Amino acid sequence: MDNDDFERKSDAEIWALLPNLESRDKCSALRVLGSRAFDREEFGRAASLAGEVASIAAEMDDVRLTAWSLADQAIATCRDGDCNEAMDHFRQAVPWFERAGDDLGKARTLNSVAMCALNARRREEALEAATVSYDISAAEEDTHIAGMSAFHAGKASYLLDKEAQALQWLARSREAFRAEGDVSRVAMVDDYAATVHDYLGNYEEAASLLRSCLHVAETTS
């Protein structure tokens, strides 16, 4: 069976089938149940089901399914409010993306590590993960991941009292989002850069950046 077969069944029907399913079909069934749990905002259940898929996939040595299932587990765990545990799951996914030869998957995952680390106030770890993510995504010319990674590196640097480094990272982030044509994220970066400049006493620069943000807010949705 594939996901479409299970999508047509109710949760109760899928649970009834599970004991008799072979490994790959069991993964498909659990992924459907996990997706539905996530949509219902039952994030703890979704994380648990994604973890089951990851375990089965690892036993089958399906590196891509293992990587993505660990990432799904991390996302659900993060939405459930546990950033530290989510970081652990994201980190577990990294070597599986490496084995799959998926550099952008690794970059996305490390960017998520950086985001969780910032939320958990683990700033050194955030900066380290964001730096590696930026290096990979810039080399792969993925401007979105590069922009987000540089933004997270900029935030981590500022929170580590490295203001000059923070502004350098934020400039890289702004450049990436400009290349992508994402004006709302350019404004997001400018807003944070204004915070750094304000802290440094560069009030004219901060005011100029904030006026630019206001213009974006007034002219876009």
Side-chain angles (χ1 to χ4, degrees), residues 174 178 183-184 186-188 190-191 206-221:
R174 190 180 202 278
R178 277 180 61 85
V183 293
S184 65
V186 169
M188 174 188 74
D190 285 349
D191 179 64
S208 175
L209 288 167
L210 290 172
R211 280 193 293 270
S212 175
C213 293
L214 180 61
H215 175 71
V216 172
E218 289 175 339
T219 57
T220 70
S221 58

Side-chain angles (χ1 to χ4, degrees), residues 137-183:
S137 53
E140 294 290 326
E141 299 183 346
D142 190 306
T143 53
H144 179 74
I145 302 175
M148 289 307 303
S149 298
F151 180 65
H152 290 142
K155 291 181 72 173
S157 297
Y158 175 63
L159 294 170
L160 289 166
D161 299 321
K162 301 176 180 179
E163 293 84 7
Q165 179 176 298
L167 290 173
Q168 290 173 352
W169 276 116
L170 293 171
R172 293 188 189 112
S173 179
R174 190 180 202 278
E175 181 182 357
F177 288 131
R178 277 180 61 85
E180 194 178 28
D182 191 337
V183 293

Side-chain angles (χ1 to χ4, degrees), residues 99-120:
R99 284 187 59 193
D102 187 348
D103 288 338
L104 284 178
K106 178 181 177 180
R108 279 190 294 268
T109 303
L110 287 170
N111 179 58
S112 296
V113 169
M115 179 186 67
C116 289
L118 282 169
N119 289 335

